[in-house]
Amino acid sequence: RNKKDFMGSPEFWFSSKNAGAKAHMDTHTQMTMSVQLSGRKRWRLGLIPPRTMPHLGLLFEDGSVYEHRRKVGKEWTPTYDFVLETGDALFVPPATVHETNNVGETGSCALSVTYQLSYPLPAKFYRAFWPRMRRTPDISEAWPLGRCWATLCTHKKFSGMAYSKAVAASAAVFRKFDKNSDGFLVASELKKVSDSQGAVAFHDTDGDSRISSQEFAEGYAFWFAVEQQVVAGTPSKLKKLHYKGLEDLPTKVADRVEDFTTVCLAKEYEEERNQIREV
């Protein structure tokens, strides 16, 4: 199922001694596979951090993470730090900040090739870290995916709901898809959902490849509660941007987004500084 991606997405990367890429995050929703064809390349990787503000401006462009961490008196500390040797391969999840550097001999060239793989989309991974995903615009391509997985593509608006209210509302949605009334949903019952396998993976917390009514209620309400927090924290003039795309904005709108990003970051920096002081 990944043949089309495999044949159409390869990118070759050449780097001389001590050259590479500054820490950044790619915006696509797929897994990435990198194969080291020659030389030695050091990789440093870390998941995007938790956030408290509903950002709309990109946060992880090349090298931005270094500046963000310096604002609170720290350095970027990745979760993983290792070297790929010739012939090694690496799978990088979406929403992963990564930095690379050629650590081979002087005069050497590190050559690698990367591929994006669309199937399966890592729905369980998204569910596990959804609150931070939903507040990080660099991965905004995943926002409509999460909405469709969580609500089985039944919710189209940018609106949230209190957790308890969403739990109650989930029952009617569940019954609509539970054609055999056995109290479980499987992929074959979700043919109207654009990614039925992803929807099952998003909700299936016990690993039995089906969704119980309780699992659906929890996943449905969890998504709506996060969405409600995002709605509440977004200025009214910017709310329509959440599912409209964040690229090529008119100058006036882009300026508002930039101002809002500055406010959001300032609040998060202060929150983190206070936490450091308490420690």
Side-chain angles (χ1 to χ4, degrees), residues 181-254:
S181 301
D182 67 346
F184 294 94
L185 299 179
V186 294
S188 61
E189 292 177 290
L190 305 178
K191 294 179 180 179
K192 293 184 179 181
V193 178
S194 58
D195 179 13
S196 58
Q197 295 288 350
V200 171
F202 186 88
H203 290 284
D204 174 27
T205 56
D206 64 7
D208 66 354
S209 299
R210 57 183 185 172
I211 309 170
S212 68
S213 57
Q214 181 177 349
E215 286 175 328
F216 182 71
E218 291 173 352
Y220 186 86
F222 165 72
W223 181 86
F224 268 104
V226 172
E227 202 73 359
Q228 184 181 49
Q229 294 169 355
V230 170
V231 171
T234 303
S236 58
K237 291 184 178 180
L238 297 179
K239 287 182 178 180
K240 64 181 181 181
L241 297 180
H242 277 275
Y243 288 98
K244 296 293 186 180
L246 300 174
E247 297 181 356
D248 301 321
L249 298 174
T251 301
K252 188 175 182 178
V253 177

Side-chain angles (χ1 to χ4, degrees), residues 253-273:
V253 177
D255 288 344
R256 287 175 181 165
V257 169
E258 184 176 354
D259 291 343
F260 182 55
T261 299
T262 300
V263 171
C264 289
L265 285 172
K267 288 183 178 180
E268 290 180 341
Y269 291 151
E270 186 58 29
E271 289 170 356
E272 187 167 0
R273 291 190 195 101

Side-chain angles (χ1 to χ4, degrees), residues 6-241:
F6 198 79
M7 299 302 293
S9 69
E11 293 181 286
F12 289 89
W13 302 86
F14 300 84
S15 57
S16 58
K17 174 69 174 176
N18 294 325
K22 294 180 179 179
H24 66 284
M25 195 194 91
D26 298 324
T27 59
H28 54 72
T29 59
Q30 304 98 323
M31 293 279 289
T32 298
M33 181 178 72
S34 179
V35 180
Q36 195 65 31
L37 301 178
S38 68
R40 305 174 72 239
K41 181 179 287 187
R42 182 186 182 189
W43 284 77
R44 300 206 303 157
L45 307 96
L47 185 65
I48 55 175
R51 313 214 74 90
T52 59
M53 300 296 293
H55 290 267
L56 285 168
L58 296 180
L59 301 171
F60 295 103
E61 297 178 292
D62 289 352
S64 297
V65 68
Y66 309 138
E67 180 182 352
H68 293 332
R69 300 312 297 149
R70 284 195 290 268
K71 292 285 188 180
V72 294
K74 291 190 173 184
E75 297 294 325
W76 178 54
T77 304
T79 308
Y80 303 101
D81 187 337
F82 51 82
V83 173
L84 287 189
E85 305 286 351
T86 300
D88 288 344
L90 169 69
F91 284 89
V92 182
T96 299
V97 181
H98 53 284
E99 172 196 270
T100 62
N101 183 262
N102 176 1
V103 294
E105 299 295 330
T106 300
S108 66
C109 175
L111 168 61
S112 60
V113 59
T114 60
Y115 303 88
Q116 274 75 57
L117 307 176
S118 296
Y119 181 83
L121 287 173
K124 284 186 179 293
F125 176 77
Y126 281 115
R127 168 69 184 272
F129 298 103
W130 187 250
R132 68 183 71 181
M133 302 282 189
R134 187 59 184 86
R135 293 175 173 89
T136 304
D138 307 67
I139 195 66
S140 61
E141 289 182 17
W143 295 352
L145 289 174
R147 176 172 62 182
C148 194
W149 290 331
T151 71
L152 305 183
C153 299
T154 61
H155 188 74
K156 305 297 183 182
K157 299 179 180 179
F158 173 49
S159 61
M161 195 185 309
Y163 187 92
S164 57
K165 186 176 180 180
V167 167
S170 71
V173 179
F174 188 89
R175 288 194 299 270
K176 176 182 176 180
F177 288 91
D178 187 15
K179 301 301 184 181
N180 59 6
S181 301
D182 67 346
F184 294 94
L185 299 179
V186 294
S188 61
E189 292 177 290
L190 305 178
K191 294 179 180 179
K192 293 184 179 181
V193 178
S194 58
D195 179 13
S196 58
Q197 295 288 350
V200 171
F202 186 88
H203 290 284
D204 174 27
T205 56
D206 64 7
D208 66 354
S209 299
R210 57 183 185 172
I211 309 170
S212 68
S213 57
Q214 181 177 349
E215 286 175 328
F216 182 71
E218 291 173 352
Y220 186 86
F222 165 72
W223 181 86
F224 268 104
V226 172
E227 202 73 359
Q228 184 181 49
Q229 294 169 355
V230 170
V231 171
T234 303
S236 58
K237 291 184 178 180
L238 297 179
K239 287 182 178 180
K240 64 181 181 181
L241 297 180

